[in-house]
Amino acid sequence: MKPKDKKIIKPHRPARLKNTRLRDLAVLDDFPDNIKFKAKRTPEKVAENYKKSMQLISGRILEMKSNYQYIIEADNIIYTATLSGRLKQFAFHSKSIVAVGDYVELDIAAEPPRIENILPRKNTLTRYLGTNFQRPNIIASNLDQVIVTSSWRKPMIKPALIDRYLCLAALDNIDAIIVINKVDLCKNRKELEETTSYYKTVGYTLLYTSALTGEGIDELRELLKNRDSVFSGQSGTGKSSIINRLEPSLNLPTAEVSDYNEKGKHTTTGTILIPWSFGGHLLDTPGIKTVNLSKDAKSQIPRIFPGFAPLAPLCYFNDCTHTHEENCAVLSALENGKIPATRYLSYVNLINSL
Ligand SMILES: Nc1nc2c(ncn2[C@@H]2O[C@H](COP(=O)(O)OP(=O)(O)O)[C@@H](O)[C@H]2O)c(=O)[nH]1
Ligand SMILES: [Mg+2]
Ligand SMILES: [Zn+2]
């Protein structure tokens, strides 16, 4: 070992001038002998010391308040946390850096606890505000499923609307389950089966429920257990009634009347992940009412429209729109009756509306 490799341990010196630049060293003569210069800390050192005092745990954002305040669930404890300065800088520029549903690393040694890291999202529930000015709005992240809710009657079942909701879920990369509610109003079960069989055939889980009689509610609860879900669907189809039936303690306001009042008055209600007593979460959000599709949805819908996913790769053209093209698997399926004319028409209408 060369002598210069030996680490020379110097006695601690209170004054350190290494990083101080002085034009004229003679000025030092004016300092009293016992002055203490503060050692300049290197950035590496700062980070090191800072991390040592941290106590990171993983958690989930349930709710966002104003002023960078977040409600976080971690190990069954609820924390009110703030955002680290570093993340705040990002948040200032991009409103979507933090979303309800995000998994985070929380420093519980800080006072108040501080979000130090946001983990990558598996998906986001995104809605577009306005029709021309396409501004994406991230409502929540890391959801397992969308419960597309329709009613048999009052309001009348609209399969074209179900198609649209299913497309929205697929665009968000979130699984969908279909719930047909108010089946107590159905006199003819065969008609109900026929109207909805297509979705079952192409692989969707479809349930018939009644918030009034309780039919299908236990089955639905099983599907919601230990998963994070959000209910979508037209107003008045019975979403709040179903949720109250599943979890009576939530006592959500129901009926069209209160819905209209909400629109006019309590528009401040935010997005929140509510833990179910049976495991998993319910996302309650006013943001789901928007059903606008994004600009680039038009190019994706030929591949994600209900039932089209396995067919589109079989079309001759990669970017087949299933309208005028030769050797189109969707058009063949339409001809041989595998796709009902009503669904195909719904597809064409949806594409043309974009
Ligand atoms: N007959 C019948 N009515 C229902 C059922 N579910 C909800 N309703 C009624 O439908 C109306 C709208 O329900 P609500 O839960 O507010 O619908 P939401 O807008 O989807 O949340 C209310 O008057 C409910 O009482 C059902 O299964 N059967
Ligand atoms: Mg409601
Ligand atoms: Zn095609």
Side-chain angles (χ1 to χ4, degrees):
M1 198 190 264
K2 287 178 203 162
K4 69 169 181 182
D5 289 334
K6 272 188 200 160
K7 197 162 190 182
I8 300 156
I9 300 159
K10 287 180 187 163
H12 180 71
R13 289 185 308 165
R16 197 167 152 205
L17 299 169
K18 201 179 154 193
N19 297 314
T20 317
R21 270 190 205 161
L22 295 171
R23 283 204 188 136
D24 181 8
L25 288 171
V27 298
L28 290 173
D29 295 339
D30 295 327
F31 282 109
D33 286 346
N34 60 354
I35 190 169
K36 284 193 167 78
F37 290 101
K38 204 176 171 192
K40 194 172 176 182
R41 297 206 294 167
T42 62
E44 294 83 7
K45 253 190 172 171
V46 172
E48 206 175 77
N49 291 342
Y50 182 53
K51 272 185 194 142
K52 264 184 203 155
S53 62
M54 274 193 196
Q55 198 182 334
L56 290 181
I57 59 166
S58 31
R60 182 105 187 262
I61 299 182
L62 298 185
E63 197 181 348
M64 301 204 282
K65 305 265 186 194
S66 51
N67 312 327
Y68 301 113
Q69 284 230 315
Y70 303 86
I71 307 297
I72 305 212
E73 179 192 46
D75 298 327
N76 295 316
I77 300 173
I78 302 293
Y79 296 91
T80 303
T82 181
L83 207 56
S84 78
R86 178 177 54 88
L87 291 172
K88 256 184 208 166
Q89 283 183 349
F90 287 115
F92 183 75
H93 294 289
S94 138
K95 289 215 158 181
S96 51
I97 183 99
V98 209
V100 170
D102 277 347
Y103 289 99
V104 299
E105 283 185 321
L106 190 67
D107 176 17
I108 52 168
E111 186 54 55
R114 198 159 47 205
I115 298 169
E116 287 292 340
N117 204 3
I118 299 162
L119 304 183
R121 296 167 182 158
K122 77 169 178 187
N123 60 31
T124 55
L125 182 71
T126 309
R127 287 295 175 269
Y128 293 81
L129 308 171
T131 40
N132 296 324
F133 188 61
Q134 298 251 357
R135 191 160 68 85
N137 184 28
I138 295 181
I139 295 167
S141 67
N142 303 316
L143 293 175
D144 295 309
Q145 53 195 11
V146 179
I147 315 299
V148 174
T149 315
S150 179
S151 49
W152 174 243
R153 293 288 183 268
K154 294 184 181 181
M156 176 85 173
I157 189 166
K158 294 178 199 71
L161 205 53
I162 297 177
D163 293 335
R164 192 180 181 99
Y165 280 110
L166 293 175
C167 283
L168 280 162
L171 286 167
D172 282 333
N173 197 20
I174 310 178
D175 287 346
I177 287 176
I178 305 168
V179 163
I180 310 294
N181 190 39
K182 307 200 189 184
V183 291
D184 54 282
L185 300 176
C186 179
K187 304 273 171 334
N188 184 352
R189 283 282 165 144
K190 214 169 160 231
E191 194 190 349
L192 171 63
E193 295 272 352
E194 277 167 13
T195 312
T196 55
S197 65
Y198 174 73
Y199 300 105
K200 279 193 203 171
T201 311
V202 299
Y204 286 99
T205 302
L206 187 142
L207 281 184
Y208 302 124
T209 65
S210 167
L212 202 68
T213 68
E215 180 181 342
I217 298 295
D218 289 340
E219 280 168 274
L220 180 57
R221 192 182 289 108
E222 278 307 309
L223 294 172
L224 298 172
K225 205 174 267 181
N226 301 326
R227 293 194 186 134
D228 300 330
S229 318
V230 61
F231 282 74
S232 74
Q234 213 189 337
S235 178
T237 52
K239 298 180 293 297
S240 304
S241 305
I242 293 171
I243 293 163
N244 286 342
R245 188 98 196 193
L246 289 160
E247 193 85 273
S249 64
L250 288 179
N251 199 17
L252 300 179
T254 59
E256 297 84 337
V257 186
S258 70
D259 252 45
Y260 284 124
N261 284 345
E262 258 176 32
K263 270 177 208 159
K265 282 188 174 175
H266 320 276
T267 43
T268 46
T269 27
T271 298
I272 175 171
L273 264 180
I274 304 169
W276 293 112
S277 62
F278 46 84
H281 296 86
L282 163 73
L283 182 81
D284 190 19
T285 176
I288 197 101
K289 282 176 186 161
T290 328
V291 290
N292 294 330
L293 286 158
S294 68
K295 247 185 288 179
D296 46 62
K298 191 164 184 162
S299 63
Q300 294 188 61
I301 284 174
R303 270 172 280 132
I304 57 149
F305 190 85
F308 287 14
L311 298 173
L314 307 175
C315 295
Y316 181 77
F317 296 102
N318 223 350
D319 56 350
C320 186
T321 64
H322 324 310
T323 48
H324 57 272
E325 293 89 347
E326 293 282 308
N327 289 321
C328 169
V330 171
L331 289 173
S332 308
L334 175 67
E335 270 164 38
N336 63 33
K338 284 202 176 127
I339 291 177
T342 47
R343 297 281 52 71
Y344 182 73
L345 213 65
S346 164
Y347 164 73
V348 173
N349 284 338
L350 185 54
I351 287 287
N352 288 341
S353 74
L354 297 170

